[in-house]
Amino acid sequence: MIQRIQSLFLLLAVVCMAVCLCNAVGIFVPDGLKPGIEVYNLWAVMPEDGTHDFSYWPMFALLLLATTVTFFTIFAYKNRKKQAKMCVVAILLIMAWYIAFVFFGYIFEPKNTKFYPAILAALPLVALILLFMARSRILADEKLVRAADRIR
């Protein structure tokens, strides 16, 4: 199972998404000398009193779902067609996460602030590339199996 290169790609994608789930993905910097509002996938931490604003939960839900689908894709190695479809679902979920990220970061931003994304917000993009690579290898394996079945 893990000996196949696509399984390694999928495992690396899961790790990238899990790291992004646990760390800050951006910061709202207000005008003036006030401290910024740190944005995580699940909440934003208010600098004044340390309270959490849970209005960012859709980003967490999308990335958690993408991580879960990708994790279970690793174990669907006996059914390559299903595995390729699960890769597409994970890719679409990551794209939806980036749409939510742009929405919450640039459209939904508090007044008198500017949003700066963190470098860790690029990890889902790395996972997206890994998922594309895994899907292409899965389809290549399926093509080889079909070619071997025709020869018999």
Side-chain angles (χ1 to χ4, degrees):
M1 168 183 64
I2 296 294
Q3 297 88 355
R4 298 168 54 214
I5 190 72
Q6 56 266 33
S7 297
L8 291 175
F9 290 153
L10 292 169
L11 185 63
L12 287 173
V14 167
V15 169
C16 286
M17 289 186 280
V19 168
C20 184
L21 272 172
C22 299
N23 291 301
V25 293
I27 187 166
F28 288 111
V29 178
D31 297 338
L33 297 174
K34 296 179 184 176
I37 301 169
E38 282 191 75
V39 178
Y40 292 82
N41 279 298
L42 185 56
W43 59 63
V45 179
M46 301 302 158
E48 299 88 30
D49 53 359
T51 59
H52 297 340
D53 176 16
F54 286 94
S55 61
Y56 299 90
W57 69 267
M59 289 182 5
F60 180 79
L62 287 169
L63 199 57
L64 182 65
L65 197 56
T67 306
T68 306
V69 167
T70 305
F71 181 74
F72 284 117
T73 302
I74 296 171
F75 300 105
Y77 61 91
K78 292 183 181 179
N79 189 349
R80 284 174 295 282
K81 290 180 184 179
K82 180 181 177 184
Q83 197 176 25
K85 288 178 184 176
M86 290 172 74
C87 282
V88 170
V89 169
I91 288 168
L92 292 174
L93 286 168
I94 292 174
M95 288 180 181
W97 181 84
Y98 271 110
I99 291 169
F101 180 72
V102 168
F103 174 75
F104 284 114
Y106 296 103
I107 298 171
F108 189 65
E109 69 182 357
K111 293 181 181 183
N112 300 325
T113 61
K114 183 151 177 75
F115 181 71
Y116 293 100
I119 192 71
L120 291 175
L123 285 177
L125 181 63
V126 173
L128 185 81
I129 293 168
L130 289 167
L131 283 166
F132 273 118
M133 292 169 46
R135 185 174 183 275
S136 68
R137 295 295 303 170
I138 291 165
L139 295 177
D141 277 359
E142 181 65 21
K143 189 175 180 182
L144 282 173
V145 168
R146 286 187 180 177
D149 285 345
R150 275 187 298 221
I151 293 173
R152 288 186 213 173

